[in-house]
Amino acid sequence: MDMARGARDVRIPRGPRRPRSARGAARLRGVTHPVVAVLLAGAVTAGCGVSGAPDAGTADGKGPERPRITVGTMPVADTAPLQIAIRKGFFKAEGLTVRTTTLSGGAESVGRLRAGAIDVSFGNYVSYFLAHANKALDVRFVSDAFQSAPGTHAVLVPKDSPVRSLKDLEGKKIGVNTKRNISALLVQKAGKAEGAAFDDEDFVEIDMPNMGTALKSGSVDAVQAVEPFATAIEKSGAGRVVADLGKPPTAGFPVAGYASTAAFAEKNPKTVAAFQRAMSRAQKQAADRSHVVAALPDYTRITAEEAAQLHLGGYPVALDPARLRRVVDLMREFGYVKQEIDVEPLLVRTAP
């Protein structure tokens, strides 16, 4: 899923917390709610910097071909297992050193994977499938990440808005962090169930952390927000939920995964397998809500109390082509792609 657009590459501080850079501070301007402010602070201060030149594999050839890799991520609840795997040494146990770099969303993920600036990246499935269909990226999925649940994806309107349903939003402006991605697609599907139709012109791109401000200013009539931003908007009084996209007809929807290029996966099968094993362990741990709640303050800078109040979705352990075909089917239904996409060849399933 695309979110937290406008974030930058960052490093995990060691020892005393470093001052924000001028650029990072600028991004905090205009954020009025303290929960959102600390979330943005987390985007600036959590994570690791981009690694330098590729490292050689182990001398005996038994370890990963690339013992140091760079992984694109975002400061959202969806990526908690990645942080769990780092903090608990799951990657280290596989002979991997993982450095993370914070991305703005699916579009940036696609571009940086294609350029070789990152090795693996978190991102929403819609953006990846769209890039693959348009031949912008020869994508390979190496790990599932997140699926929706009640409260994880919501359409919110100003508290005093007369809007009571998605049908009431026809012809109005809905803020999404990126057009033609998972956010817009879920709105379109849920709207269709209510007899409402939305196209590209109905959506306005807004950075996820700025959606509460957009609602207050009246620059949009509604926003599609994800956790932890949806809860922050509600608690700030900036908006109220008018549609829960984690419920039917989009309940349990495959939202995001981790991808690499086909070239990287083919050249580094042991590295990919090591990444998969570590992520599988972390995804299993994320089934226990307490592990996710404990991890969130480390990389989003929200408090443990705030983390405990968030709506959390599912963290699938294995890639499932039947589940991901659901994404492709919905993309075809709303004209994102015209051709069928064969999902199975895009999945890398090397881990035992």
Side-chain angles (χ1 to χ4, degrees), residues 222-235:
V223 296
Q224 195 282 297
V226 302
E227 289 290 47
F229 302 103
T231 290
I233 290 171
E234 279 196 284
K235 289 192 173 298

Side-chain angles (χ1 to χ4, degrees), residues 149-202:
T152 61
H153 297 70
V155 178
L156 299 99
V157 297
K159 209 165 186 179
D160 59 354
S161 171
V163 171
R164 298 293 168 184
S165 68
L166 290 177
K167 181 68 175 175
D168 293 339
L169 284 173
E170 277 191 310
K172 300 184 183 299
K173 295 298 181 183
I174 303 172
V176 294
N177 73 311
T178 305
K179 290 185 177 184
R180 295 180 71 79
N181 78 339
I182 186 69
S183 298
L185 188 62
L186 291 178
V187 172
Q188 288 174 301
K189 180 61 176 178
K192 183 177 180 180
E194 294 185 17
F198 303 103
D199 58 31
D200 285 352
E201 298 303 313
D202 296 310

Side-chain angles (χ1 to χ4, degrees), residues 201-212:
E201 298 303 313
D202 296 310
F203 296 105
V204 177
E205 292 191 346
I206 300 174
D207 292 354
M208 195 71 72
N210 294 328
M211 287 186 171

Side-chain angles (χ1 to χ4, degrees), residues 15-287:
R17 186 174 177 182
R18 303 175 199 167
R20 289 192 303 264
S21 67
R23 182 180 179 188
R27 285 187 174 125
L28 292 175
R29 295 185 188 121
V31 180
T32 58
H33 188 257
V35 173
V36 177
V38 294
L39 285 167
L40 278 178
V44 175
T45 58
C48 300
V50 180
S51 60
D55 295 286
T58 56
D60 60 9
K62 295 180 180 179
E65 300 88 354
R66 294 280 300 275
R68 301 173 70 88
I69 62 172
T70 301
V71 178
T73 186
M74 300 173 200
V76 291
D78 309 30
T79 59
L82 178 67
Q83 300 299 326
I84 291 171
I86 292 171
R87 299 304 195 268
K88 295 198 173 186
F90 296 167
F91 290 121
K92 184 177 181 181
E94 295 292 341
L96 281 180
T97 295
V98 170
R99 295 184 177 183
T100 63
T101 181
T102 302
L103 307 180
S104 63
E108 185 181 5
S109 173
V110 167
R112 296 186 74 172
L113 282 172
R114 184 176 59 232
I118 54 178
D119 303 309
V120 176
S121 184
F122 169 84
N124 79 89
Y125 285 122
V126 174
S127 293
Y128 284 139
F129 280 127
L130 193 59
H132 183 79
N134 293 336
K135 300 187 184 306
L137 182 71
D138 193 2
V139 70
R140 292 296 183 271
F141 297 111
V142 300
S143 175
D144 207 333
F146 192 76
Q147 69 181 32
S148 68
T152 61
H153 297 70
V155 178
L156 299 99
V157 297
K159 209 165 186 179
D160 59 354
S161 171
V163 171
R164 298 293 168 184
S165 68
L166 290 177
K167 181 68 175 175
D168 293 339
L169 284 173
E170 277 191 310
K172 300 184 183 299
K173 295 298 181 183
I174 303 172
V176 294
N177 73 311
T178 305
K179 290 185 177 184
R180 295 180 71 79
N181 78 339
I182 186 69
S183 298
L185 188 62
L186 291 178
V187 172
Q188 288 174 301
K189 180 61 176 178
K192 183 177 180 180
E194 294 185 17
F198 303 103
D199 58 31
D200 285 352
E201 298 303 313
D202 296 310
F203 296 105
V204 177
E205 292 191 346
I206 300 174
D207 292 354
M208 195 71 72
N210 294 328
M211 287 186 171
T213 300
L215 283 180
K216 285 183 177 180
S217 70
S219 61
V220 292
D221 300 289
V223 296
Q224 195 282 297
V226 302
E227 289 290 47
F229 302 103
T231 290
I233 290 171
E234 279 196 284
K235 289 192 173 298
S236 72
R240 59 177 171 81
V241 174
V242 73
D244 186 344
L245 305 181
K247 295 181 178 180
T250 50
F253 200 80
V255 172
Y258 292 88
S260 72
T261 63
F264 180 86
E266 290 166 6
K267 187 177 180 180
N268 303 285
K270 295 178 183 177
T271 305
V272 170
F275 180 86
Q276 290 177 318
R277 288 191 293 270
M279 284 303 301
S280 179
R281 289 180 66 187
Q283 295 281 112
K284 287 177 182 177
Q285 286 214 351

Side-chain angles (χ1 to χ4, degrees), residues 281-343:
R281 289 180 66 187
Q283 295 281 112
K284 287 177 182 177
Q285 286 214 351
D288 182 338
R289 179 185 175 90
S290 67
H291 290 297
V292 177
V293 171
L296 282 166
D298 288 342
Y299 69 101
T300 65
R301 302 303 186 203
I302 67 175
T303 67
E305 291 74 20
E306 290 161 347
Q309 298 175 32
L310 299 183
H311 301 92
L312 299 179
Y315 298 93
V317 173
L319 290 164
D320 181 353
R323 288 183 62 255
L324 298 192
R325 273 194 289 271
R326 187 180 174 194
V327 180
V328 175
D329 290 343
L330 200 58
M331 291 175 69
R332 295 187 69 196
E333 180 179 344
F334 289 95
Y336 283 44
V337 294
K338 293 183 179 180
Q339 70 273 40
E340 180 59 75
I341 297 176
D342 190 358
V343 174

